[in-house]
Amino acid sequence: MTEQNAQDIASGWLAALGERIRAADPSSVAALFAEDGYWRDLVSLTWSIATFRGRDEISAMLAACLAGASPSSFALEEPAKTTSDGTTEAWFRFETATGLGRGHVRLRNGLCWTLLTCLVDLKGHEEKRGSRREFGVEHGAIRGRRTYADKRAAEASTLGREVQPYCLIVGGGQGGVTLGARLKMLGVPFLIVDRHPRAGDAWRERYRSLCLHDPVWNIHLPYLPFPDHWPVFTPKDRMAEWIEAYVALMELDYWSATEAVSASYDETAGEWHVVVRRDGREIALQPRHLVVATGMSGAPAVPRYAGQADFAGEQFHSSTYRSGEAYAGKRCLVIGSNNSAHDICADLWEHGADVTMVQRSSTTVVRAETIKTFFSSKLYSEEALAAGITTERADFIYASRPYAVMAEMQKAAYVEIRKHDAAFYEGLAKAGFQLDFGEDETGLSMKYIRRGSGYYIDVGASELIIDGRVKLKSGVEVSAMERGGLVLSDGRRLPADLVVYATGFDPMETWLEQLISPAVAHRVGHVWGLGSGTRRDPGPWIGEIRNMWKPTRQENLWLHGGNLHQARFFSKLLALQLKARMEGLPTPVFDPKALSRHS
Amino acid sequence: MTEQNAQDIASGWLAALGERIRAADPSSVAALFAEDGYWRDLVSLTWSIATFRGRDEISAMLAACLAGASPSSFALEEPAKTTSDGTTEAWFRFETATGLGRGHVRLRNGLCWTLLTCLVDLKGHEEKRGSRREFGVEHGAIRGRRTYADKRAAEASTLGREVQPYCLIVGGGQGGVTLGARLKMLGVPFLIVDRHPRAGDAWRERYRSLCLHDPVWNIHLPYLPFPDHWPVFTPKDRMAEWIEAYVALMELDYWSATEAVSASYDETAGEWHVVVRRDGREIALQPRHLVVATGMSGAPAVPRYAGQADFAGEQFHSSTYRSGEAYAGKRCLVIGSNNSAHDICADLWEHGADVTMVQRSSTTVVRAETIKTFFSSKLYSEEALAAGITTERADFIYASRPYAVMAEMQKAAYVEIRKHDAAFYEGLAKAGFQLDFGEDETGLSMKYIRRGSGYYIDVGASELIIDGRVKLKSGVEVSAMERGGLVLSDGRRLPADLVVYATGFDPMETWLEQLISPAVAHRVGHVWGLGSGTRRDPGPWIGEIRNMWKPTRQENLWLHGGNLHQARFFSKLLALQLKARMEGLPTPVFDPKALSRHS
């Protein structure tokens, strides 16, 4: 198919979309979609993050949203293309009553298979960048001039005291700082509080051998990308330095060494009462909005075993593991088989320990190199950059795939991956390692999106397991502990000097319970997951990550987090939602699957 | 003229250049130039920074350099263009025996008016960026693994002790850090020492109202550009923060609070013996190369007046001025009429002081807004960016104009500027301000390049002088001081509570005298200036800034500095020269005007 054909098809479809929307006829708009077509909307029509499948769902969304959003001015932003499978793809711009949007469409046989509509700017409230940037100095002679340093000092001394932040962000890791940067650029007053002494500590304090598993092209923070000599995989201490510098250079209002003690919502005043502890003193804050950005996991989950207190050796959760330095020649047991368990086993082995992994349930393992080849290199790589796929563009391409479509793509890829790495998987199986590729064979990324656990990205530990340098006990449970070590469910005993519980974390909603109340945590419901009905991701199907980056069932409470990719992309959508509310723009939310469900 | 014509003209000329170079015939190459044509070479053929004017100089350069450099593979890198005055301009790439180069040519009537050849990479020693970046982590299981933090800690603990830097950089301001970053990218071991407690202090410690006079598009540091929300004019404290973060994020080996005490060159060993004082202890360093990057000015120059010690008020040099806060209602005299004098007068006035400027000699004044309109907006602005002129491209365009050509361009622009701001200049003249536009009417930029002083970029003080809010005594000298204030050469007395000496700095070579020896300083000769024969820039004509960023007459001694534009651009050229020497590549220097002159 020629490019002209693609262009005709895409512009024809887009024109029809615009006309039928103008005619305010939801069912005729829905008829432009395939029977099982998708419309994914990111804050542009629904003021939420929601995917609608099939003509009925799409009609219902339009009936609710069209009058308020008034989408219009749809126009292709670059030439459309037809891929080898006959799908025509196109990028477009559009407007709504309040914002500017960007969209992407995939057409098959003249009908829409997937449509993405995404808010990118609020009209009249655009980010102060490029030609909108500030001047920085007032030229002329001005009595009582306040310099940059004066203003920053004044802001710092009044914020959280005389001046309340519009938005309080609890947690100053990648989630908190990316949202802070977005809000800064939109002129929304905010304050980030974080319990660690220094920004970046959430990375700094982790085990010494940790490097990021995502390559540099996929871990950029907004506005201040890593320079082009930055290594492919970032060591954790370097990430910590970057985040610390980011806070300073982006001028984020950030209180470190500050613990959020409690929060309650005053419905009458429409504001939060939050108590934080800083420098040993409690400070009461009254932000309009509260964003919990304490990470996608809750508190460390340590299993309870009979006789645990009798164990004579050292025992601790993986989150407090730092280094294997002290354990050369020691018998070390690592309970668990996900990322941290593997990394800790490898680090202990590298330090000369005698290491055994205790695998309690099956795990998805994929080699880092394979992930690069099959997935990240297509969107986030030097080759992608050379093909014009910047990180921003890659993020939009990623967003253009509804999670249901993504699952099917992943499933197909894993058929190839299992062939590609057949010898590797055979080796793991021979060693007794319990492998899976997800209940529906959709692999690692879907496990991450559904439950945030259950996998290992292999950067070296698997070869230790395959050749037995790290010993493995699998298909067993720990039935008890005793002075000398573990007692397994098969009756065998494992003597140990050290037991590391790489047993994961409580779900994210535990933070809400602790900080706010069990009642609010219950009202909000489960956080994370799509409702896939697989293990740790109970249904019903929602199709977007639950409660993240969008209105929850608790007024003015928001959750932000995830990996760097998610922190980067969704921070903007969350910031736009907060800015719209601050400016008093109408923000009618339509997200029935997410907001009406019972959890 | 059509674009095709331009392309034919440029590619034809470039082909002829390549052929005649291959034929090794200097005079036939020189015949491709206009009688008064220029060849500016930046380290690619001459291993220096040198401009040759006319066929004789060009022939002589080629006779000396062609055999060693073997330039070849000249190829246009984008379509050539012909400007409205009939000049055809083209960008091209080329190679030499050791490096990759970039060039620019301006042709008139088929002959070359200006040619730029610039080294951009050493073959086989390219910067580790983009697809050459490091991996960052070794995947696999490795006993005795050294992490990023381990390696950085080991480097930090041995550098300057067991491990000597190949290059020692004295001065960690914008000059030191830009060169450090360049060397880092080329794998040249270096150490920066700076006397201030923290990186960025050279900016941080200046007077509170200071903002950079160059706009953001022209102050980017290499590799880590300012984000696109950075203000147009950067406040000094923000610049300080950026430089401090730059040192951390670029992983520069940087000793703050370290003073360079003495340096001497061991000709036999071919290395420097440098003593630095750090934490109260003296440390001896033996770098191969010494770079003095302590700023383009030497120590503060304070004039000596009879009776100076009798003055009852406060007196200090402008470099120690911080704020006018303490001087409300006080009688303040500022001696001098350049940038600092004006900024300090304005700051004192803004704080309610009674201010008088004592102007001893005439000054070039140009409004900041006018500089933006007439100069910087064409190369360094949002509009330039929109036209594809990135900062890197702008730097090359700037470099493509030999200083003699630049002076003529400036002269023409100042005819327009004086019309454009006629009312402003009339106001200054009426107030008694002694104005000039340079001895040859070439204005502010040429004064900067020739002598680094003698001008004010007006950001507000001139209106205070015009309307008398800041009083002015001009055309007078200070003949003496007494308890109550100044005695002027016209016999009048100026009572004062404060006298600020905004009287400039000693020339840069004073650093060499102090750090190394008067003999070496004398051998190197005058630093800065072109040899224009104007005040403070004695001839003979050299045509490049003396002794900066290129070999001096003292082996393995280099000078680096200037504004941010110069620090950014020339740091790369200096780093390439150092890298070539470290790798043992042949670097025969041809720069007769600079190296054979008597100073």
Side-chain angles (χ1 to χ4, degrees), chain B residues 238-259:
Chain B
R238 213 165 169 187
M239 192 69 207
E241 278 171 25
W242 187 267
I243 287 178
E244 192 169 17
Y246 191 83
V247 168
L249 298 178
M250 297 299 297
E251 308 181 275
L252 306 186
D253 290 305
Y254 190 108
W255 288 1
S256 59
T258 302
E259 201 181 348

Side-chain angles (χ1 to χ4, degrees), chain A residues 159-207:
Chain A
L159 184 67
R161 297 174 184 91
E162 296 86 341
V163 177
Q164 288 300 318
Y166 181 74
C167 175
L168 180 71
I169 302 168
V170 177
Q174 59 218 26
V177 303
T178 51
L179 181 60
R182 299 293 193 186
L183 292 174
K184 186 90 192 177
M185 221 57 79
L186 289 168
V188 177
F190 66 93
L191 173 62
I192 302 169
V193 295
D194 191 274
R195 66 184 174 83
H196 297 91
R198 283 163 69 194
D201 277 348
W203 284 103
R204 202 175 276 115
E205 289 181 0
R206 297 195 61 192
Y207 52 91

Side-chain angles (χ1 to χ4, degrees), chain A residues 129-130 133-135 140 142-143 145 150 208 227-228 230-233 237-238 251 349-350 382 459, chain B residues 129-130 133-135 140 142-143 145 149-150 208 223 228 230-233 237-238 251 349-350 382 459:
Chain A
R129 300 167 65 192
R133 73 176 81 218
E134 289 175 356
F135 203 61
I142 299 154
R143 280 250 157 100
R145 175 192 294 273
D150 295 339
R208 66 184 278 286
D228 66 0
W230 203 258
V232 176
F233 293 105
D237 290 297
R238 213 164 168 187
E251 307 181 277
W349 178 86
E350 289 186 346
E382 213 59 47
V459 292
Chain B
R129 301 167 64 192
R133 72 176 82 217
E134 288 175 359
F135 202 61
I142 299 151
R143 281 250 157 101
R145 175 193 293 273
D150 295 340
R208 65 184 279 285
Y223 311 115
D228 66 359
W230 203 258
V232 176
F233 293 104
D237 291 295
R238 213 165 169 187
E251 308 181 275
W349 178 84
E350 289 184 348
E382 214 59 45
V459 291

Side-chain angles (χ1 to χ4, degrees), chain B residues 482-498:
Chain B
E482 55 187 12
R483 185 169 170 76
L486 298 186
V487 184
L488 299 181
S489 50
D490 62 5
R492 279 187 288 186
R493 290 180 141 75
L494 282 180
D497 303 302
L498 169 70

Side-chain angles (χ1 to χ4, degrees), chain B residues 26 57 97 101 117 156 172-173 195 207 226 240 256 261 334 365 393 479 562 565 592:
Chain B
E57 286 188 13
T117 49
R195 66 183 174 83
Y207 51 91
F226 293 104
S256 59
V261 177
V334 177
V365 178
R393 187 177 176 92
S479 57
H565 168 192

